[in-house]
Amino acid sequence: MEDQIRGIERAALSEIESCTDKKMLETLRIKYLGKKGKLTSLLRGMGALPPADRPRIGNLVNQAKTRLQARFTEALEQYEEAERQRAIANEYTDITLPGRRFWLGRKHPLQQTFDEIREIFFGMGFSVAEGPDVELEAYNFDKLNFPPEHPARDMQDTFYVQDDVILRTHTSPVQARVMEKQHPPVRIIVPGRVYRTDEVDPSHSPVFHQVEGLYVDRRVTMGDLKGVLTEFIHQMFGPTTQLRFRPSFFPFTEPSAEVDMTCIFCQGSGCNVCKQKGWLEILGSGMVDPNVFAAVGYNPEEWTGFAFGMGVERIAMLKYNINDMRLLYTNDLRFLEQF
Ligand code: PHE
């Protein structure tokens, strides 16, 4: 019996030596150590031995099994290591391949414009306030002194959600919201989306963006309004840009002024962009109407203020010389990557 065990072990060892690959090795392992393998079968035949011999022989078989198993594992590792070495040797870096382009994101030109506007007003002590896009008619119109029959309230111009709920048509309702909550002085800008039932064309969109401004304190004058807006335009478009304040009308400001600046493309001599006028309309403004103060609970005898509102798309288009507003919404990388 002992001879048999030793014989099997020796045969197995020499067969392992003559193996040439992993597959052969595995077949061999099954042949000797598998369920029906040669050594395993020996263990199964133990019943035929005299009971006194069984522990010793069983022990011998198990020792042989353990040694063989170790040898198989070692041989397997050798094959695997050889395989790894071969793979490494076959691998190489093709330094002539073009590199992979690394796409760097950047801010959308509208966001850049927003950020620039914000920074300029931060510099003058304004802070940012926001309000809801879905707004009560009361804030969008009534508290801002729009009479009940004002044309802007028409379904033609405004998106109605319900009888008294609309998509805000401007950022001015946030003036009323802030003043209702906060005592003067107030010095805010309000960036946000606004909605009007306009058809899409190079200069219109049913959704666009505004930045509102509101300054309320004692003895605020139109001179303050002019000073702040002049400083803003100078920082935004250059210090030689000139401003013109044209009388205008808004229900929530009195007096009101439309602000024009000298055309930044022709310096005022007349070109396509300014339609030969030399001037570009840039924002609406005025002194806060006493009726608005009354509607939000400020005493119009004590407080005065100015407000202004500008279209962000318009500013961006002038600043970056973009001739079609739709370019700002279509997310064409060929366009966006220029900024
Ligand atoms: N809300 C006005 C508009 O959308 C702009 C504006 C704001 C005018 C504040 C005066 C004061 O046209």
Side-chain angles (χ1 to χ4, degrees), residues 5 10 12 23 26-27 30 52 60 62 72-74 140 156 221 240 260 271 337:
I5 298 170
R10 228 177 297 127
K23 234 174 109 190
E26 178 60 8
T27 316
I30 293 167
L60 285 176
N62 282 331
F72 272 114
T73 308
E74 188 190 14
N140 197 86
Q156 295 276 330
T221 69
T240 57
D260 300 340
C271 67
E337 288 201 311

Side-chain angles (χ1 to χ4, degrees), residues 146 169-172 175 196 208 210-213 250 252-253 256-258 283-286 306-310:
F146 280 78
T169 60
H170 51 178
T171 41
S172 304
Q175 287 188 32
R196 293 181 193 174
F208 62 102
Q210 288 189 333
V211 172
E212 186 86 8
F250 299 101
F252 38 95
T253 48
S256 305
E258 202 86 53
L283 48 83
S285 68
F306 65 78
F308 56 88
M310 63 187 95

Side-chain angles (χ1 to χ4, degrees), residues 15 36 52 85 87 125 128 154 175 192 202 210 216 241 244 267 285-286 320 326:
E15 279 197 73
K36 292 178 187 153
Q85 293 305 333
V128 169
D154 202 288
Q175 287 188 32
Q210 288 189 333
V216 181
T241 318
R244 178 168 84 172
Q267 269 70 44
S285 68
Y320 298 113
R326 291 169 290 193

Side-chain angles (χ1 to χ4, degrees), residues 6-35:
R6 235 174 284 128
I8 291 172
E9 188 175 356
R10 228 177 297 127
L13 287 172
S14 84
E15 279 197 73
I16 290 174
E17 293 315 315
S18 57
C19 263
T20 54
D21 61 36
K22 262 164 80 171
K23 234 174 109 190
M24 269 178 87
L25 191 69
E26 178 60 8
T27 316
L28 209 58
R29 194 188 61 78
I30 293 167
K31 178 172 163 190
Y32 287 98
L33 300 177
K35 262 199 206 130

